[in-house]
Amino acid sequence: MKGRALRLTVFGVVQGVGFRPFIYRLALKHGLSGWVKNAATGVEIHLETREPSGFAGFLEALERDKPPLARIEKVAERRTAFEGFKGFEVKPSQGGESFVFISPDISTCANCRRDIADPGDRRFRYPFTNCTDCGPRYTIVKKLPYDRPNTTMAAFRMCPDCSAEYHDPLDRRYHAQPIACPRCGPSISLREAGTGRSVPGGIDAAVRLIKKGKILAVKGIGGFHLVCDPLRPSAVDRLRKIKERRTKPLALMALDVKTVGRYARLAPVERQWLLSERRPIVLLKKKLDIAGIAPNLDEIGFMLPYTPLHYLLLEDLKLIVATSSNPKDSPIMKEDDESRDEPSRRKRTPGQSPGPRPPGIERLCDFVLGHDRPIEMRADDSVVKIVRNSPLFVRRARGYVPYPQKVPDALRAAESVLALGGELKDTVSVYKNGYVVTSQFLGDLDDYRNHLYFEETVRHLKKLFDVKPVCVVSDMHPDFHTTRYARKLGLPHLRVQHHHAHVLAALLEHGLPLGTKVLGVAWDGYGYGADGSAWGGEFLLADHFGFERFAHFEPVPLPGGDAAAKQPWRMAAAYLRQAGIAPLPRVGTLKNVEEKKIRGVREMMDRGIRSPLSTSCGRLFDAVAALTGIAPFENEFEAEAAMRLEAAASPPARSSYPYLMTASDEPHRVSFGETIRAVLADVRRGLPASRIAAKFQATLARLIVEVSQRARDKHGITTVVLCGGVFLNKKLLSQTSRALTDKGIKVLRPLYYSPNDESLSVGQIAYALAYLRSGRGFNP
C-alpha cells in the first residue's frame, strides 16, 4: 500500500509533562513511524504508515490516554509528504518565536516517593528526586522550549545513569529536565546563620535543631520557608518577632492527612484539595487550636509536603510551621544573599542615603538548610478555601501559575496585551493567541522590593511567552506604581476602573459572550472611582465595554485617610457620627482610645480635614468589628478586623439589621445609619459579639438580594457577579450565593483567581480585548 503521512502540532500544556515519551510509546503501539519534537509553539509530530487503518487509533488515544499533567488545547492536522521513516524517534527541540505553555510546579509523585523510601534505590533519601510527572517547572525555566539548557539545571552535568534514563523514551524520567541523583545533581547544605559555619548532618541535623526550638530557613521550589516546631510556643513567639508578625496567621505543613485531622475538620472536597498534585495551603475549620498559629480566627491553614525534602523533614517531625521567609511586606526570598546588594541597585537622588541594608536570609533564622539549585522565578504557596464545594483562592501562586486561561472566541484578538493590575496584592497578566497567562501573587507594590519583583515578573513573562504587546493596561488611579510604570513603556495605555476590572475578570473566566450585561457586586476596601473618589461598596451594571453605577454605599468620611484603614475605631467613630449619635459612646474598641484622639478624629471630620469620603465595604466591616470589641486597636495586616468579625459570626443568623436605600433615581444610595444604631443597641444590651456579627452578615446578604431583584425588575439582569476582597469572607459568600440562587438569580464569582486585587490584571485584559475588537483604535 502507498505510504501516507500526517503532520500534527499539539498546542497546550505539553512541555515538561512527559508528552514526547507518551507520543513515542503511542506511535510504537500503533505501528507508526516518524518523529516528535518540542517546538516554540507546542509539540510537533510527524506520522507515517502504510497500513489501511491509518492514524485513527493514534488520534483517538492522543486525548484519551495523555499524561495526567498534560492539557491539550487544540491539535492542528495537515497531510504531508511521505518520507519513508523506518522507525520513530524523538528529535531535538526547535527554537523560534515561542508561545507554548509550561506546566506549573508539581508535587512529588507516588513513584518518586517510593524511590526515596527504598534503601535499594540509588535515589534513596535524595531530596531532589523527580520525574516527568512531578517536580519543579515554572520556577526553574529561563526560556522556552522547556529543555534542560533553558533551565537552572543547565549547570548540572548528568552522570551516565541519569543520562541513560533521560535519553530512554521508555523510562519515566525521559527528558525530565530537572533529573538528578546524589552523584550529579544539586546537594543540601546546612549552616549556622550567624556565623556561616557549616553544620554536618544535613536533613537529620536540621530535624534535631527544629526539635530543639531553632528556626530554620529551608529552601524549597519557589523560595525559602521559615520553619519551626508549632508545638513549642517559645519558637513560634520568636518567629513572630523576627517576622514582625504579631497576629497574622502562620501556615502549617503536615506529613499526612491524618496529622491534619487532629487539628482541623476536613470535608471530603477539602481533603481532595490537600492531596492534589498542586498542594495548596487549604484553610480549614479549627478542631484543636494551636496557640499562636492563627489567633482570633476560626480557620487554620494546612498544606502537605510537595518536595522530597519536605517528606524527609517531616518523617520524624510530622508537623512544622512553614511560612514564607521574607522581611515584613517584602517578597519571598529565593537565594541566600539576594538582598545584600539591593540598596546599591536602588535609584537614589544625589546625596540621598542608601538606607538600612535589607536583611539577608541569615537575619531571619538560626540555621539555613539550603541547596545549590538556583530558583529562576520565585513563587509563594497558593492559599485556598472551599466554598460550596468550589475553590475560593486567597492567593494563586505555586502549583497554578502559569496555567493559561482561554478567552471566549468573541474576545480573541490577533494582538498581544500586557496588563499590570493594581497596587496591592498585585499580579501581571499577558494575552497572546487566545489565552491569558497570569503571574503569581506579587504582593503590595508600595514596598520597593516588591516593585523590583513586579518588574522582574513583567520581563520574565514577556520573555518566556515572547509577548510583544500592542498596548498596556492599568488601573485608573493616577498615582499607582503600575500606572506610572505603564506610562513609561511608550505603548498605547488603557485605564480601567478598579471595580469594573473585578467584574470583568469573572466574565472572562466564565466565558460570557461579548456584551453580556451583569450586576457586579464589587465590595472591597478601596478602589479609585470614576469620579476620583474612594469607592468600595459598588453595584455596577456592567459588560465588557463599560458600566453604570446602579447602587452604592452612602459615602462616609475616612478620618485620617489611610490611618482609618489601619485603626478600625476611627471607622466606628465615623459611622456613629454619620448615624447622628453623639456624644461618642465608649463601647467595644472605643473604650481603649484616649479622649484626645477621639476629639481629634471628630474635629477632623467636622472640618473636612484629611477625611476623604468613601463608599468602602471593608471600612464598614471595620466599624462593626470595633463596636463589638472584636477589632484590635490597630490592624496588623489588611482586613484583620473583618477576618475576626467573620470568625465570630457563628451560627448563621435568621434575623438581620435595618438599612435604608433610596427608591427612585439611580444610582441608589444605601445608608447604614439604622444598621449602626441597631448594632449599638445590641452591644449595650449585652448581645454576644458572635450574634451581632452573624446578624450583620445576614444584613449584607439581604441587601445584595434586594438590589439584585431591583436590577432584574428594572433592567432584566439575571446574573450577579460577586467580586472584590470582601468576598473572601466564606460565610458571607456562601450565605449570599444560596439566597440569590433561591431567588432564581445566577451567581458567578472568580473560581481559579482570587476575588481580591489579584484578579484585576485578568479583568484589565478582558477590557483591552473588547476595546481591540471594537475597532476604536488608539489616540496618538
Side-chain angles (χ1 to χ4, degrees):
M1 181 179 177
K2 186 178 179 181
R4 290 177 289 165
L6 183 67
R7 184 72 56 86
L8 306 176
T9 301
V10 185
F11 186 70
V13 182
V14 290
Q15 291 193 19
V17 292
F19 197 77
R20 287 178 298 169
F22 160 68
I23 294 298
Y24 178 89
R25 293 190 295 269
L26 192 62
L28 294 184
K29 178 180 178 181
H30 290 274
L32 303 175
S33 57
W35 49 259
V36 60
K37 67 179 179 181
N38 275 346
T41 55
V43 168
E44 289 189 7
I45 307 166
H46 179 89
L47 301 173
E48 295 187 349
T49 184
R50 294 182 184 275
E51 297 299 321
S53 57
F55 310 106
F58 179 96
L59 294 174
E60 289 173 6
L62 184 64
E63 172 65 38
R64 184 188 64 224
D65 300 334
K66 67 181 184 297
L69 300 181
R71 171 176 153 183
I72 297 175
E73 291 291 337
K74 64 181 178 182
V75 180
E77 300 181 21
R78 65 180 175 88
R79 297 291 173 178
T80 189
F82 183 83
E83 299 179 41
F85 285 97
K86 299 302 182 185
F88 198 88
E89 66 172 321
V90 179
K91 296 179 74 172
S93 296
Q94 171 186 317
E97 182 180 349
S98 66
F99 188 57
V100 63
F101 300 130
I102 181 71
S103 166
D105 305 297
I106 298 298
S107 64
T108 307
C109 69
N111 285 328
C112 285
R113 293 202 298 271
R114 281 191 287 270
D115 290 345
I116 64 173
D118 181 2
D121 193 282
R122 69 189 187 91
R123 293 185 175 88
F124 176 58
R125 297 185 64 79
Y126 182 57
F128 303 97
T129 300
N130 65 84
C131 69
T132 53
D133 291 333
C134 68
R137 300 288 192 277
Y138 176 64
T139 52
I140 64 169
V141 66
K142 294 182 175 182
K143 62 179 181 178
L144 294 174
Y146 178 67
D147 287 317
R148 193 178 180 97
N150 295 335
T151 73
T152 61
M153 286 296 295
F156 296 92
R157 185 175 180 179
M158 286 180 277
C159 68
D161 288 335
C162 285
S163 181
E165 293 170 328
Y166 183 86
H167 290 99
D168 181 359
L170 300 180
D171 194 284
R172 84 171 201 271
R173 291 191 170 94
Y174 175 72
H175 278 221
Q177 309 306 338
I179 188 173
C181 74
R183 184 177 173 187
C184 65
S187 58
I188 285 288
S189 62
L190 179 64
R191 61 181 174 85
E192 190 172 19
T195 65
R197 178 181 62 87
S198 179
V199 178
I203 294 173
D204 292 337
V207 169
R208 291 192 293 270
L209 289 167
I210 294 169
K211 285 184 174 181
K212 290 178 180 178
K214 301 300 182 183
I215 297 169
L216 271 67
V218 178
K219 188 176 179 182
I221 283 181
F224 280 91
H225 283 127
L226 293 181
V227 169
C228 72
D229 183 350
L231 304 180
R232 292 181 70 106
S234 59
V236 174
D237 289 345
R238 203 158 59 85
L239 176 60
R240 287 194 171 279
K241 288 186 177 71
I242 289 171
K243 285 203 59 148
E244 300 178 62
R245 182 186 277 195
R246 298 187 311 275
T247 56
K248 192 173 182 180
L250 300 171
L252 299 176
M253 182 182 286
L255 175 63
D256 50 32
V257 171
K258 181 180 178 181
T259 303
V260 174
R262 293 188 191 128
Y263 303 98
R265 304 186 188 281
L266 266 171
V269 66
E270 291 168 331
R271 177 189 173 95
Q272 290 172 13
W273 276 81
L274 270 176
L275 289 167
S276 76
E277 70 273 4
R278 304 185 189 280
R279 288 291 199 272
I281 297 170
V282 182
L283 299 183
L284 304 168
K285 185 78 172 176
K286 286 180 181 176
K287 180 195 291 185
L288 178 63
D289 194 24
I290 303 176
I293 298 301
N296 307 306
L297 302 178
D298 62 343
E299 293 178 323
I300 187 168
F302 276 97
M303 60 181 153
L304 297 181
Y306 55 86
T307 72
L309 174 57
H310 295 146
Y311 279 102
L312 296 171
L313 273 177
L314 285 162
E315 272 182 343
D316 194 23
L317 292 169
K318 309 301 183 194
L319 184 67
I320 55 175
V321 171
T323 185
S324 57
S325 58
N326 55 310
K328 184 176 174 65
D329 298 327
S330 298
I332 185 171
M333 300 182 73
K334 64 175 184 173
E335 304 298 345
D336 294 31
D337 59 353
E338 65 176 297
S339 65
R340 290 175 185 162
D341 298 327
E342 203 166 87
S344 64
R345 296 198 305 269
R346 184 172 182 170
K347 293 180 181 178
R348 304 191 300 275
T349 57
Q352 180 185 359
S353 168
R357 187 182 72 166
I361 195 68
E362 72 278 354
R363 299 190 184 185
L364 300 176
C365 60
D366 301 313
F367 294 85
V368 179
L369 184 63
H371 60 73
D372 54 354
R373 182 178 67 201
I375 296 171
E376 178 67 14
M377 180 50 61
R378 71 192 83 213
D380 280 285
D381 296 309
S382 295
V383 183
V384 68
K385 304 180 184 184
I386 305 301
V387 179
R388 304 185 79 192
N389 292 323
S390 294
L392 175 64
F393 274 83
V394 178
R395 182 171 71 203
R396 178 181 179 271
R398 178 196 50 78
Y400 298 90
V401 174
Y403 218 65
Q405 171 66 52
K406 187 176 182 179
V407 308
D409 288 343
L411 274 181
R412 286 179 66 101
E415 302 91 341
S416 297
V417 177
L418 169 65
L420 303 178
E423 182 83 349
L424 306 179
K425 295 179 170 57
D426 196 44
T427 64
V428 173
S429 290
V430 294
Y431 166 83
K432 184 176 178 180
N433 293 357
Y435 292 87
V436 181
V437 176
T438 300
S439 75
Q440 65 276 26
F441 162 85
L442 302 176
D444 300 348
L445 301 189
D446 52 1
D447 181 275
Y448 175 71
R449 287 159 291 192
N450 281 333
H451 191 72
L452 290 178
Y453 184 19
F454 159 80
E455 292 181 339
E456 170 187 309
T457 304
V458 170
R459 290 192 299 269
H460 186 69
L461 288 180
K462 288 171 67 177
K463 174 184 172 184
L464 193 62
F465 298 107
D466 198 23
V467 173
K468 299 178 179 65
V470 298
C471 65
V472 60
V473 201
S474 74
D475 193 87
M476 284 180 64
H477 198 300
D479 296 324
F480 275 1
H481 289 85
T482 46
T483 308
R484 296 201 297 265
Y485 183 86
R487 291 194 202 110
K488 296 176 183 177
L489 294 180
L491 294 169
H493 180 192
L494 300 177
R495 299 164 180 84
V496 187
Q497 198 279 324
H498 187 95
H499 301 96
H500 188 207
H502 271 306
V503 178
L504 292 180
L507 298 193
L508 188 148
E509 183 182 3
H510 289 277
L512 266 65
L514 190 64
T516 302
K517 196 171 285 290
V518 300
L519 177 69
V521 183
W523 287 1
D524 57 13
Y526 171 79
Y528 189 81
D531 58 5
S533 67
W535 290 8
E538 309 305 313
F539 298 87
L540 306 180
L541 296 176
D543 61 17
H544 294 85
F545 301 103
F547 69 92
E548 295 176 4
R549 223 173 169 191
F550 181 67
H552 61 82
F553 290 9
E554 184 176 43
V556 174
L558 301 178
D562 288 345
K566 296 176 181 177
Q567 298 179 341
W569 66 268
R570 291 173 180 260
M571 290 314 303
Y575 268 97
L576 288 167
R577 175 181 176 274
Q578 194 90 343
I581 298 169
L584 208 65
R586 291 309 196 96
V587 297
T589 310
L590 288 165
K591 285 189 275 188
N592 302 317
V593 182
E594 297 174 19
E595 181 62 34
K596 65 178 182 180
K597 288 186 176 180
I598 290 178
R599 282 200 309 269
V601 161
R602 187 86 188 208
E603 184 176 343
M604 251 192 278
M605 291 188 286
D606 289 344
R607 297 175 60 185
I609 299 171
R610 293 181 58 222
S611 297
L613 295 177
S614 171
T615 63
S616 170
C617 184
R619 302 294 75 79
L620 175 61
F621 267 87
D622 287 348
V624 175
L627 289 174
T628 59
I630 290 171
F633 175 82
E634 182 164 312
N635 286 330
E636 181 201 338
F637 55 92
E638 186 185 13
E640 180 178 9
M643 289 171 64
R644 290 190 185 191
L645 193 69
E646 176 193 359
S650 184
R654 294 185 178 180
S655 60
S656 59
Y657 293 117
Y659 55 82
L660 295 177
M661 181 164 52
T662 57
S664 55
D665 295 341
E666 297 177 16
H668 305 290
R669 289 164 66 100
V670 182
S671 169
F672 292 98
E674 293 291 330
T675 310
I676 295 300
R677 283 191 283 272
V679 167
L680 180 60
D682 277 350
V683 170
R684 283 173 162 165
R685 70 187 180 91
L687 193 70
S690 61
R691 298 299 303 139
I692 297 173
K695 286 176 67 177
F696 171 66
Q697 296 206 153
T699 304
L700 295 181
R702 180 166 61 88
L703 169 64
I704 293 172
V705 172
E706 182 180 347
V707 175
S708 300
Q709 288 176 312
R710 283 197 189 189
R712 181 172 60 184
D713 295 342
K714 295 177 74 173
H715 298 283
I717 303 295
T718 58
T719 300
V720 170
V721 173
L722 302 178
C723 54
V726 167
F727 290 104
L728 286 173
N729 183 322
K730 180 177 179 177
K731 295 171 184 176
L732 176 62
L733 177 61
S734 180
Q735 189 173 1
T736 304
S737 299
R738 187 177 295 109
L740 287 169
T741 303
D742 288 346
K743 297 295 184 181
I745 296 171
K746 184 178 181 179
V747 180
L748 298 179
R749 65 173 178 86
L751 290 176
Y752 285 90
Y753 300 92
S754 176
N756 67 23
D757 285 4
E758 288 185 37
S759 65
L760 290 179
S761 66
V762 181
Q764 290 167 359
I765 290 284
Y767 179 84
L769 293 178
Y771 186 95
L772 290 169
R773 290 302 299 264
S774 72
R776 281 181 280 176
F778 299 108
N779 292 324

